[in-house]
Amino acid sequence: YVDVIAEYWPQFLRSFWYALLATLFALLISYPIAYFIGVVLRDRPLIRNLLLVLVIAPFFISFLLRTLAWKALFADEGPVVGFLQTIGLFGPQDHITGTGFAVVFGLTYNFIPFMTLPLFASLDRLDTRLLEASSDLYATPGQTFWRVSFSLVFPGILGAALLSFSLSFDDFIITNLNAGQTVTFPMFVWGAAQ
C-alpha cells in the first residue's frame, strides 16, 4: 500500500479533496432541507410526503442522463457559459467543463439525496420538546442548534457524510465526464485496467 500511495498520491489526494468538498456542500444543502421536512413539517404529513418524493425524484432518471444533462448545461456552447460570457464574468477562452468545479458540482448534485434521507431519518426522531426547553432556559438559537439539535442528530450527520463521501470518492461517471484532463483515482484505475 505504501508504494501505491507514494506513486499515485496526487490522484488519490485529488479524489479525496473532491469527495470532501462534495460532502460538505451536500451537507450544507441537505441539512436545511431535511430539517424543514423532518421538523418544521412534522404536523403536515401530506406536504412532507410530497417533499420526500421530490427529494428522491432524481433517482427516477438515470444517473448517467443526469450527469450528461449537467455537462450539456455547462458546455462551452451551453446556456450557463453563454450567460456568464454575456454579463462579462467569462471570456471566450473560459469554460466550466473539465474543471474541478464541474466535478464537485456534479458529485454534490448527484449525492444530495444520499445525504438528505439519512439526515431526515435522524431529524424525524428529534424530540422538539428539547428545543423548546432549551429556549425556555434562555439559550440563543445558535446555542440551541449546537448544544441540542446538532449533538442529538450528529450520528445521522456522520452516517450521511460517510455515505456521501464514500460514493463521491470512487465515482467514475461524474469524474470521467466532467474532469477533462484532471485525473482522479477512479479514472486512473480505469485507465490502468484497460
Side-chain angles (χ1 to χ4, degrees):
Y1 289 111
V2 173
D3 293 338
V4 170
I5 291 176
E7 188 171 345
Y8 306 114
W9 70 269
Q11 295 87 359
F12 187 82
L13 188 63
R14 189 174 300 116
S15 293
F16 183 87
W17 178 245
Y18 286 167
L20 182 66
L21 285 174
T23 301
L24 289 174
F25 290 140
L27 178 63
L28 291 174
I29 294 167
S30 297
Y31 191 89
I33 294 169
Y35 187 86
F36 183 72
I37 297 171
V39 177
V40 175
L41 293 179
R42 194 170 277 180
D43 58 341
R44 295 184 153 161
L46 183 63
I47 297 172
R48 182 176 171 178
N49 291 337
L50 177 65
L51 289 177
L52 281 174
V53 168
L54 291 176
V55 167
I56 63 169
F59 288 130
F60 297 132
I61 300 171
S62 167
F63 183 76
L64 181 60
L65 288 177
R66 290 191 314 250
T67 304
L68 287 172
W70 281 112
K71 184 177 181 180
L73 287 172
F74 288 149
D76 292 342
E77 306 82 25
V80 175
V81 173
F83 174 74
L84 292 174
Q85 287 174 342
T86 302
I87 63 172
L89 291 178
F90 268 29
Q93 75 285 358
D94 294 327
H95 57 277
I96 295 176
T97 54
T99 64
F101 170 80
V103 175
V104 172
F105 183 88
L107 292 171
T108 302
Y109 168 75
N110 279 300
F111 296 122
I112 280 176
F114 290 103
M115 181 71 78
T116 304
L117 294 175
L119 287 175
F120 165 76
S122 290
L123 287 163
D124 188 42
R125 293 189 305 265
L126 180 66
D127 188 358
T128 56
R129 294 176 298 174
L130 296 173
L131 303 177
E132 293 171 13
S134 175
S135 65
D136 289 344
L137 294 171
Y138 303 107
T140 65
Q143 290 172 328
T144 299
F145 173 76
W146 285 110
R147 293 184 180 171
V148 180
S149 180
F150 183 80
S151 61
L152 291 174
V153 180
F154 184 73
I157 292 172
L158 187 61
L162 286 173
L163 178 64
S164 179
F165 180 84
S166 63
L167 292 171
S168 298
F169 180 79
D170 67 352
D171 185 80
F172 173 75
I173 293 174
I174 294 171
T175 53
N176 187 39
L177 293 174
N178 291 328
Q181 299 300 318
T182 305
V183 178
T184 59
F185 196 68
M187 291 173 63
F188 174 78
V189 172
W190 172 256
Q194 289 186 340

